[in-house]
Amino acid sequence: MAGIIQPKVLKGFRDFLPQMEIPRRKLIRALEDHFTSYGYVPIDTPVLEYAEVLLSKGGGETDKQTYRFNDHGGRDVALRFDLTVPFARYVAAHRNELSIPFKRYHIGKVWRGENTQRGRYREFMQCDFDVIGTDSAAADLEIMLMMAAGLRAIGAGETRIRFSHRGLFNQLLEKLGLEGKTAEVLRIVDKIGKIGAGEVRILLGELVGKEETETLLDFITPAEDNRETLKKMAALAWSEEKDGSAEVRIKTILDAVEKMQLHHNLVLDPSITRGLDYYTGIVFETFLDDMPSLGSVCSGGRYGNLTGLFMKEPVSGVGASIGLDRLMAGLEELGRIDNAASGTDILILMLDEALLARYQILAHGLRQDGLAAEVYPENRKLGAQFKYAEAKGIPLALIVGSEENEAGTVNLKDLGSRESFNGLSFEDARGKALEILGK
RNA sequence: GUGGAUGUAGUUCAGUUGGUAGAGCACCAGAUUGUGGUUCUGGUUGUCGCGGGUUCAAACCCCGUCAUCCACCCCA
């Protein structure tokens, strides 16, 4: 009379049925191919690390959200809550084994013990890609171009990347004498898309003086086009156009964007600041044209010193992170997810158990042509076997009974149109199958 | 973490002022023992999220708990 254990999963953790996992894998594979085509290489790191490594950044909020416990040996350990901190440790640990500039991508699960919402879970998949070891505008540009092209490649459609530069914002804050309140100001400004300029004015007014509030609001409001926006930002921040300045960096990027005719995709938006404080250069967030309300599906920026906590020599880099689960939720809502129940192209029906070997030989032959073939495992009524094929979304069936076996022929059936092609040689049948599948 | 809403068969939902649960779809079997999407007949589906309490009696009322959704926070 043992009690039955409920097959439940933890809050914010999920099982994936095949019709969800198959498109998820497809999406990941498409991204991997995309990164590879730009020369980025994959890495991985442990999901469990020493707590002191993961929590070293000391952000109060991340500390609270990190899953942390003592392992069987009494070690203070934690599950990774992003892929950036492990990457910093990884770079410091393997500094001499990496060729610089190092371009990597990393796709993996991360964990955060925060409250759940739609498209927001405690276990979720992140996809990071970064270039480290160079502070060039070329790298900044490449990362943003990869984001736009990558999202297009996975069927997310056109995107708008809104970017800005922390350097100019910091100059402005310095000029206004607000360096001490940088974090608070950034957090308020970051909300403008959500709460509007009016609310931001009120919140800023509570934090800084009236004049400063108006200057900040003026700064973060984009002008008609990228050039005008930059002009205004530079003027308000008292920027001097010299080598290595934030202003020149933005100019360089805008020049390239214009030459590539991408000013729809890349928009200079000074209200983009990103809450995280390790960004020092460009910062950006990406929205789907077809669903801006989903929020940013890919964001990041340039950091001046990724590895500061783990080694003395500073390493600069620029990178972005895609929220795969949020993106999946958006794509599903847009009807862009193909909920395939299997990847099988052709089902070989079982009409006679004595023909087991024949069925497996047929399946093997089909696989050599690149077709995914499976043999139905029981000699059940044909109706049941067809139903199985339908449930798994299998488009073709190969039917061989004792008569066909003796005659040396096979019957192929297109399960979609219900058209049968009987008495074919195996050669003709697989030719026909490839034709129907369009392969 | 804070506040609010919700939780009934695989699924979508119904269930009247508390009287020990119902429909469509899905599923299974048969009409149709080598060709399945229609039709017909029959059938199964439930610890009413879980655990307590009030009551002669709880899906319904009360408390707790777990989960989902929404807002805040933060972010992906």
Side-chain angles (χ1 to χ4, degrees), chain A residues 12-17 20-21 23-25 27-28 31 80-81 83 106-112 114 116-128 151 154 156 288 291 294-298 321-334 337:
Chain A
F13 289 70
R14 296 168 296 162
D15 284 328
F16 290 91
L17 291 170
M20 227 23 226
E21 185 65 6
R24 199 164 81 128
R25 296 278 176 100
L27 200 148
I28 290 168
L31 285 172
R80 64 184 183 202
F81 62 87
L83 299 177
H106 190 180
I107 300 173
K109 282 182 172 177
V110 300
W111 294 266
R112 293 183 193 174
E114 64 177 331
T116 55
Q117 253 175 65
R118 186 172 60 94
R120 183 168 160 172
Y121 310 97
R122 288 185 169 176
E123 177 181 63
F124 60 99
M125 183 81 71
Q126 265 195 338
C127 168
D128 277 29
L151 287 165
I154 59 175
L288 303 184
M291 197 186 267
L294 188 65
S296 173
V297 293
C298 179
S321 181
I322 299 177
L324 278 184
D325 297 275
R326 175 177 289 182
L327 186 57
M328 281 282 291
L331 291 178
E332 194 179 22
E333 213 162 302
L334 288 170
I337 296 286

Side-chain angles (χ1 to χ4, degrees), chain A residues 61-192:
Chain A
E61 206 54 44
T62 49
D63 276 24
K64 268 187 271 172
Q65 295 180 357
T66 302
Y67 282 97
R68 182 179 185 181
F69 55 94
N70 291 313
D71 75 1
H72 291 61
R75 281 169 284 256
D76 182 13
V77 298
L79 284 167
R80 64 184 183 202
F81 62 87
D82 71 8
L83 299 177
T84 305
V85 174
F87 182 48
R89 198 220 81 239
Y90 176 96
V91 171
H94 302 287
R95 173 68 183 81
N96 297 319
E97 300 160 74
L98 304 175
S99 56
I100 303 295
F102 183 59
K103 307 198 290 184
R104 71 96 218 223
Y105 69 88
H106 190 180
I107 300 173
K109 282 182 172 177
V110 300
W111 294 266
R112 293 183 193 174
E114 64 177 331
N115 243 340
T116 55
Q117 253 175 65
R118 186 172 60 94
R120 183 168 160 172
Y121 310 97
R122 288 185 169 176
E123 177 181 63
F124 60 99
M125 183 81 71
Q126 265 195 338
C127 168
D128 277 29
F129 48 104
D130 294 77
V131 187
I132 58 156
T134 171
D135 183 28
S136 70
D140 289 352
L141 181 68
E142 179 171 277
I143 287 288
M144 292 197 284
L145 295 180
M146 278 177 72
M147 285 162 54
L151 287 165
R152 207 177 293 130
I154 59 175
E158 287 303 308
T159 53
R160 176 160 298 202
I161 297 170
R162 310 212 314 241
F163 73 100
S164 184
H165 197 296
R166 271 291 180 77
L168 274 180
F169 203 97
N170 288 340
Q171 278 177 45
L172 174 68
L173 290 173
E174 207 173 304
K175 188 194 140 206
L176 296 175
L178 297 172
E179 301 102 304
K181 294 175 177 171
T182 301
E184 292 99 315
V185 171
L186 286 180
R187 209 172 304 133
I188 294 170
V189 167
D190 211 36
K191 290 185 192 169
I192 193 161

Side-chain angles (χ1 to χ4, degrees), chain A residues 307-383:
Chain A
T307 53
L309 292 159
F310 304 105
M311 62 185 218
K312 291 217 170 107
E313 185 192 347
V315 174
S316 174
V318 58
S321 181
I322 299 177
L324 278 184
D325 297 275
R326 175 177 289 182
L327 186 57
M328 281 282 291
L331 291 178
E332 194 179 22
E333 213 162 302
L334 288 170
R336 307 263 176 81
I337 296 286
D338 179 18
N339 285 315
S342 78
T344 307
D345 295 312
I346 183 161
L347 177 69
I348 297 165
L349 303 195
M350 177 170 293
L351 282 74
D352 187 346
E353 281 188 31
L355 298 177
L356 241 184
R358 175 100 170 103
Y359 295 142
Q360 290 298 342
I361 289 165
L362 288 168
H364 184 68
L366 292 165
R367 287 178 197 127
Q368 291 198 312
D369 285 328
L371 297 179
E374 60 175 302
V375 178
Y376 193 82
E378 290 179 82
N379 182 13
R380 294 185 64 194
K381 290 186 11 176
L382 286 195

Side-chain angles (χ1 to χ4, degrees), chain A residues 190-209:
Chain A
D190 211 36
K191 290 185 192 169
I192 193 161
K194 203 165 197 177
I195 64 178
E199 281 293 311
V200 168
R201 176 175 280 119
I202 293 169
L203 290 172
L204 281 176
E206 290 168 1
L207 187 69
V208 305

